């Protein structure tokens, strides 16, 4: 097979490689269900499969195909008869073997080389040869280790010599307290596990140097017998003994002198090491010396790869990962201290097990078509290629005239129906092998359009459009496109027709809108599909916001008027300094403006309005400057005046000098001048900032660009703002030239698996330097192609290279050129062609259930060749299929965990206990996810159950309570019973003794008997499984009142009163409940009771009662279950129809008339009394007046509500006077006295003349009032006032 090919055959293969394209079967589910397909191995165990002897053996083999394949196995090259071993079974619809060794069988009995075959009527696919071995962790051989005595400064090696295990153990040193021994440049562990001391010190003395070996598969750790090390310090020992033996040096050994380095490992001066490509290279050098030597590494004639190399164990170990052929060569380690240096040379050779350059790919052909399958592998030594068909050597397979073998290539020509088969390519050398299956499937299928019909594409005018037409057929259909009708086929430079059927329109115009039809044809039929394109008008801001300068505390308005396609919904957004507007009510956003009221200094900044639609957007910005208001009107600060007298001098090819005259400063010095230019050739009417100069200068030397028609103007700036622009200068034109710079931001990336999109930031018109600006786009595949492929384009910023390999590096350059020459030579950037979906699923997926809610999934990483892009990570999709409990069997939504690409295990959190889950693992790159691993099912163990579904009191009696509950919604296992607790609650809410009962799982109610009446209880219920007790539900209830003797009611003294606010209801309550309500209803009505909650008081005002109606009112106490526990007697409350207003009686007319009549009557009586008095006898008062003075001036007693009265010295009553009811005072007086003028002695008057009291008898303390003059009626009346 390795014979050289002749010339015609080489030309044929070259032709086939360019012309024949393997037919890809789209991942359409309906299509995949209908098409026949040979078997494909989708998941298999690793080639070197080490198993844990404590667990059942599982050898994976999964395959797909139509019809579904059947499976068979070989062991050690012969057919494996599974039926003869009852401990071996094959999973249904799978080739996975399960060997049950739980009954004590030895795992080593099943060791061997296994290979799986998957068959259907179209062919046979085979797996790798899987070498099955059990892991081994042998015991440490017993040995007696003598103590080691070393002199300070000497070197020392502590040997570990662990037992050989499968896989080899991991070695580490610890003390008897399980603390890792500290390592340093002086003390370190070698790769073989031994512990090296470059020089020992007294602190190294210890009796607990213990070497541990951890065997990873069985997770067991074994330890060596402790090693005792004692370090002697000869200087200290000699000095100590000399004090006792007269300075005699008993120990003749001299202290160890400092010395130059000597290598302990490796021992010889030159060594060699062989490593395989892709593996890890580890080299170590450990040196003896005092002081401790430092280690460094160099590589002869090359550099040590910085990205993959690391220096470990204090630079004593050099590790290089992912070894390649370039890592071969001579490495030198150098050890040095202040006494010298020594070096060691390690010659590294790199060999390689076979690895794919181009793995075989499935081939789908139509009858009479031709195609090739290539199998290109590399390695060192070069691998040999061997072909098999359906698992048999191809030379032993049935002859097929349409098939020929040429080394690493299978050539098919004029294939016939029935020629489908699965071919295996085996590439092997002394270091390993590769085995890959690739089928040839001969199909005859009419065309099908898989793109959904009637899709509406929307695009903005002048933007590119891609209209998809995904098809399948065998032979490969030919795609044609039509617009609006089938009369004419689309063609011309305005359209790009991609190989996958997609139609691209570079610059969409309104005329491109309409109905498009893609038609797929082959010799077996025709299919078509319709899509629609709508070209929308771009969004544009017509009136952008303008620069505003406003004084503090004033208002400012920014306008932003925009135009958009009427069929699109616009959204206006405002930003301040590229961030959101402040959350302040002073900022008001309208449909086309932004208003800021009461402006402050913090409002200054750049404001941007953005008009968005679903397809595009446009934006514009303006600056807001906030200045202080002028302190006094006397000084006015304004913007400076515009500069004048612009003059151009000293013209050059790319420079000129501009001078000007400043304008007025207006009380604020000019800080700087801004020079702007207009390019009348490229952007007439648009002014750009060119440079700034200090305010003290009036001349500027300007650097110019070629091929520009310049006009200049100048603006002055002071603290207030910019001046108006000056008048433009005369126009100055520079000559064209070749470009000075190339486009920036050059990038290369793929959008499809077979293209490379090169993009760049185009030059501005000012950077073109001349007419005819173009871009020379250059590319070549890195490391493969020496010559650059180039193309020149104009007016674009990207170029698509089609037909590239998947995800390979390209060197990319973009160079500017115009009619006057090329720009400078550009630098190359590295870009990658497009990624394709990963072709393989992660293998060896295993699930380790950690607890009832957490599981760990492990998998083998996908090979780099199958990633077909940049691996971004792994996704684990998992879903709960059902509960293991028969009462719960609902599906849950799928969850996904994402793990980084360097992970091969991850945890699945928040699982539900006692459930069946399924999971699958995929690898994903920038294109998307690859195929899923074979679904794995696992079960979570029991957990703690949820709370019971309900808990209530169903029956109450004098001395018993019945409670009911329901099983938990989430049982999380098999219920083993319920824990029922209860305790009493007294009137102070103190809890009594807690009683606990265990109830069976099938019980849903319980009755407590012999309980005291009128007692409150608190109940607790929780479900339990074998894992523990779940959450608790609580309930409260009160046994009913004893019916024999009546108990004191909970409510008392319930009353009501009316006020202006409403009906005031008050009461007293002695019950324990905290929730009180006032309920009311209209008397004699059928409506429901209205309820209002009471906020902790013993009164409540009912508002809004209707006037003139009667209401029944009661107070209710409710328990925690919202059931009424106590309520008061019903109270009838009548609301008055109209409450009379409060009127002052003293202002009423009838009262004033009555009082006037009474006053007139009294006046008449007084006149009659005084007339009778003058006609009658005399009063004996003259003597009293002489003895007691003027009685008129005797005061009225402050503490007496009666009036001051007359009295004689002998305390005799007046003739005709009456004795007061008290009988304590007797007086003389005439019968025509003032007392006789009234009908009663119990009369008093108010201030308004109304009666308020008594005209009472006189006390002992009252003085007599007598006068020779007739008393005036007015004075008598005043005495009552």
């Amino acid at each position: 097979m390795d014979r050289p090919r002749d010339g015609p055959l080489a030309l044929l293969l070259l032709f086939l490689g360019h012309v024949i394209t393997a037919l890809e079967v789209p991942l359409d589910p309906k299509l995949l269900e209908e098409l026949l397909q040979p078997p494909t191995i989708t998941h298999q165990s690793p080639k070197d499969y080490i198993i844990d002897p404590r667990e059942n053996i599982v050898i994976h083999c999964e395959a797909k195909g139509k019809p579904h394949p059947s499976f068979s196995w070989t062991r050690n090259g012969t057919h494996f008869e599974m039926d003869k071993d009852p401990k071996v079974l094959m999973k249904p619809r799978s080739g996975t073997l399960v060997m049950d060794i739980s009954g004590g069988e030895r795992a080593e009995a099943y060791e061997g080389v296994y290979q799986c075959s998957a068959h259907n009527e179209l062919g046979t696919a085979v797996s790798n040869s899987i070498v099955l071995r059990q892991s081994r962790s042998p015991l440490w051989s017993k040995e007696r280790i003598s103590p080691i005595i070393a002199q300070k400064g000497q070197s020392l090696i502590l040997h570990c010599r662990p037992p050989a295990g499968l896989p080899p153990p991991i070695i580490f040193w610890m003390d008897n307290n399980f603390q890792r021994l500290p390592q340093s440049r002086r003390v370190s562990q070698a790769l073989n596990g031994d512990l090296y001391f470059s020089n020992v010190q007294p602190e190294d003395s210890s009796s607990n140097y213990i070497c541990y070996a951890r065997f990873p598969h069985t997770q067991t750790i074994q330890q060596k017998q402790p090693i005792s090390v004692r370090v002697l310090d000869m200087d200290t020992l000699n000095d100590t003994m000399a004090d006792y033996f007269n300075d005699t040096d008993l120990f003749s050994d001299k202290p160890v002198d400092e010395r130059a380095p000597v290598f302990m490992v490796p021992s010889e001066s030159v060594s060699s090491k062989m490593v395989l490509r892709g593996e890890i290279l580890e080299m170590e050098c450990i040196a003896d010396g005092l002081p401790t030597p430092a280690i460094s590494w160099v590589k002869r004639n090359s550099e040590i790869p910085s990205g993959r190399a690391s220096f470990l164990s204090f630079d004593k170990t050099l590790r290089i990962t992912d070894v390649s052929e370039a890592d071969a060569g001579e490495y030198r380690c150098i050890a040095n201290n202040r006494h010298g240096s020594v070096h060691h040379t390690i010659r590294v050779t790199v060999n390689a097990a076979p690895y794919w350059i181009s793995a075989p790919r499935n081939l789908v052909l139509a009858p009479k078509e031709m195609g090739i399958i290539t199998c290109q592998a590399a390695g060192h030594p070069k691998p040999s290629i061997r072909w098999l068909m359906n698992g048999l050597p191809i030379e032993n397979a049935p002859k097929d005239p349409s098939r020929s073998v040429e080394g690493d290539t299978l050539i098919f020509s004029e294939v016939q129906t029935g020629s489908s088969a699965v071919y295996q390519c085996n590439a092997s050398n002394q270091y390993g092998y590769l085995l890959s299956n690739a089928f040839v499937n001969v199909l005859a299928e009419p065309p099908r359009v898989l793109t959904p019909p009637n899709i509406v594409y929307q695009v903005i005018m002048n933007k590119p459009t891609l209209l998809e037409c995904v098809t399948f057929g065998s032979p490969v259909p030919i795609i044609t496109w039509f617009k609006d009708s089938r009369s004419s086929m689309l063609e011309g430079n305005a359209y790009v027709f991609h190989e996958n059927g997609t139609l691209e329109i570079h610059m969409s115009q309104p005329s491109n809108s309409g109905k498009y039809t893609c038609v797929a044809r082959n010799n077996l039929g025709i299919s078509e599909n319709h899509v629609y394109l709508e070209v929308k008008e771009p969004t544009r801001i017509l009136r952008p916001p303008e620069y505003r300068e406003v004084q503090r505390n004033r208002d400012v308005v920014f306008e932003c008027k925009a135009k958009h396609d009427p069929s699109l919904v616009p959204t206006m957004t405002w930003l301040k300094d590229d961030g959101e507007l402040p959350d302040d009510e002073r900022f008001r956003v309208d449909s086309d403006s932004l208003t800021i009221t009461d402006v402050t200094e913090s409002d200054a900044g750049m404001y941007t309005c953005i008009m968005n639609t679903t397809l595009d957007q446009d934006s514009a910005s303006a600056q807001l400057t906030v200045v202080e208001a002028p302190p006094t009107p006397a000084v006015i600060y304004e913007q400076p005046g515009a500069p004048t007298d612009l003059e151009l001098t000293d013209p050059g090819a790319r420079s000129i000098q501009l001078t000007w005259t400043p304008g007025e400063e207006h009380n604020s010095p000019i800080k700087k001048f801004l020079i702007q230019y207009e390019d009348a050739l490229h952007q007439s009417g648009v002014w750009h900032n060119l440079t700034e100069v200090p305010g003290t200068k009036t001349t500027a030397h300007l650097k110019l660009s070629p091929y520009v028609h310049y006009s200049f103007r100048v603006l002055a700036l002071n603290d207030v703002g910019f001046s108006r622009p000056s008048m433009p200068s005369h126009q100055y034109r520079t000559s064209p030239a070749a470009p000075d710079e190339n486009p920036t931001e050059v990038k290369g990336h793929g959008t499809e698996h077979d293209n490379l999109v090169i993009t760049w930031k185009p030059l501005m018109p000012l950077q073109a330097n001349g007419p005819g600006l173009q871009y020379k786009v250059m590319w070549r595949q890195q490391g493969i192609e020496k010559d650059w492929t180039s193309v020149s384009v104009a007016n674009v910023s990207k170029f698509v290279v089609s037909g590239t390999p998947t995800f390979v590096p390209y060197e990319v350059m973009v160079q500017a050129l115009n009619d006057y020459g090329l720009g400078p030579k550009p630098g190359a950037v590295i870009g990658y062609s497009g990624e394709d979906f990963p072709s393989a699923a992660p293998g060896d997926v295993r699930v380790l259930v950690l607890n009832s809610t957490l599981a760990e999934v492990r998998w083998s990483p996908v090979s780099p060749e199958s990633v077909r892009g940049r691996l971004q990570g792994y996704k684990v999709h998992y879903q709960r299929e059902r509960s293991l409990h028969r009462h719960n069997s609902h599906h849950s939504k799928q969850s996904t965990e994402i793990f980084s690409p360097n992970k091969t295990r991850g945890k699945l959190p928040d699982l539900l206990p006692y459930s069946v889950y399924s999971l699958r693992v995929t690898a994903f790159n920038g294109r998307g996810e690859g195929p899923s691993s074979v679904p794995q099912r696992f079960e979570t163990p029991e957990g703690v159950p949820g709370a019971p579904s309900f808990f209530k009191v169903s029956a109450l009696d004098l001395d018993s309570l019945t409670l009911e509950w329901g099983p938990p919604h989430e049982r999380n296992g098999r219920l083993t019973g319920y824990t029922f607790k209860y305790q009493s609650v007294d009137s102070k809410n103190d809890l009594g003794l807690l009683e606990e009962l265990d109830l069976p799982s099938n019980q849903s109610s319980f009755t407590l008997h012999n309980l005291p009446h009128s007692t409150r209880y608190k109940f607790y219920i929780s479900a339990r499984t074998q894992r523990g007790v779940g959450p608790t539900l609580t309930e409260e209830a009160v046994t009913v009142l004893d019916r024999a003797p009546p108990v004191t009611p909970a409510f008392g003294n319930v009353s009501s009163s009316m006020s202006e606010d409403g009906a005031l209801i008050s009461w007293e309550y002695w019950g324990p409940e905290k929730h009180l309500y006032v309920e009311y209803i209209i008397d004699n009505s059928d409506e429901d009771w209205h309820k209002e909650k009471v906020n902790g008081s013993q009164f409540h005002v009912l508002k809004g009662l209707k006037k003139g109606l009667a209401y029944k009112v009661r107070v209710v106490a409710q328990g925690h279950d919202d059931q009424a526990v106590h309520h008061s007697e019903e109270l009838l409350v009548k609301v008055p129809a109209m409450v009379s207003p409060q009127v002052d009686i003293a202002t009423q007319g009838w009262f004033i008339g009555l009082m006037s009549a009474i006053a007139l009557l009294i006046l008449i009586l007084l006149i009659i009394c005084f007339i009778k008095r003058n006609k009658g006898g005399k009063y004996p008062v003259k003597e009293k007046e002489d003895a007691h003075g003027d009685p008129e001036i005797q005061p009225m007693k402050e503490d007496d509500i009666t009036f001051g009265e007359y009295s004689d010295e002998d305390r005799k009553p007046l003739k005709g006077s009456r004795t007061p009811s008290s009988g304590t005072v007797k007086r003389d007086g005439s019968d025509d006295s003032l007392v006789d003028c009234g009908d009663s002695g119990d009369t008093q008057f108010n201030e308004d003349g109304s009666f308020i009291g008594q005209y009472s008898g006189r006390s002992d303390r009252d003085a007599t009032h007598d006068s020779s003059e007739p008393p005036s009626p007015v004075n008598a009346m005043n005495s009552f006032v």
Side-chain angles (χ1 to χ4, degrees), residues 804-817:
T804 64
T806 300
F807 198 68
V808 296
Y810 276 84
E811 294 178 272
V812 175
M813 296 191 299
V814 180
Q815 185 178 24
L817 70 154

Side-chain angles (χ1 to χ4, degrees), residues 442-477:
V442 181
L443 293 176
E445 291 289 330
R448 309 183 193 191
V449 179
L450 305 180
T451 301
N454 302 320
I455 293 180
V456 178
Y457 294 90
Q458 293 183 334
V459 66
I460 294 297
M461 187 171 60
N462 296 325
K463 299 292 184 181
T465 304
L466 293 174
L467 306 181
E468 292 185 348
C469 183
V470 180
T471 62
F472 175 76
S474 181
V476 178

Side-chain angles (χ1 to χ4, degrees), residues 456-460 512-514 532-536 567 615:
V456 178
Y457 294 90
Q458 293 183 334
V459 66
I460 294 297
N512 296 127
S513 297
Y532 297 87
L533 175 62
E534 297 178 356
V535 180
K536 306 293 185 179
S567 64
L615 296 180

Side-chain angles (χ1 to χ4, degrees), residues 868-929:
R868 301 199 290 187
R870 184 172 286 107
L871 181 62
Q872 296 188 1
Y874 296 92
K875 292 184 180 180
V876 179
H877 305 281
Y878 61 100
Q879 181 177 18
R880 184 190 187 207
E881 292 188 346
R882 59 184 176 88
S883 170
L884 287 171
H885 196 279
R886 59 188 177 86
H887 295 288
N888 296 335
S889 59
H890 61 278
H891 287 264
S892 61
K893 66 178 182 180
Q894 178 174 284
S895 301
T896 301
E897 295 288 335
I898 300 177
F899 302 96
S900 58
N902 59 347
K903 296 287 186 181
T904 58
R905 65 176 63 186
K907 290 184 171 58
L908 307 181
D910 302 327
L911 303 177
L912 294 178
Y914 206 54
S915 301
V916 176
Y917 279 84
S918 65
L919 66 80
R920 51 190 179 88
V921 186
T922 62
F924 70 96
N925 57 21
R927 187 74 185 276
E929 294 185 59

Side-chain angles (χ1 to χ4, degrees), residues 694-713:
T696 56
K697 292 187 176 182
T698 58
T699 301
H701 189 74
L702 307 179
K703 294 182 179 180
L704 309 180
S705 298
Y707 196 55
V708 178
H709 295 179
Y710 283 102
S711 295
F712 303 98
R713 69 181 186 183

Side-chain angles (χ1 to χ4, degrees), residues 10-78:
L11 291 176
L12 174 61
L13 293 177
L14 181 63
F15 171 75
L16 290 175
H18 286 82
V19 175
I20 300 302
T21 302
L23 176 62
E24 297 287 344
V25 180
L27 300 177
D28 185 89
K30 294 182 179 178
L31 184 62
L32 292 177
E33 289 179 3
E34 297 175 7
L35 296 179
L36 295 177
Q37 183 174 324
T40 301
I41 301 291
T42 59
H43 177 50
Q44 56 185 316
S45 293
K47 296 178 181 178
D48 190 7
Y49 191 20
I50 301 175
I51 60 171
D52 189 339
R54 301 169 299 180
E55 298 178 355
N56 289 341
I57 304 171
V58 179
I59 311 178
H60 294 282
C61 179
E62 304 290 344
K64 66 179 181 179
K66 184 65 183 274
H68 190 75
S70 59
F71 297 88
S72 62
W73 285 85
T74 62
R75 179 185 177 192
N76 298 328
T78 61

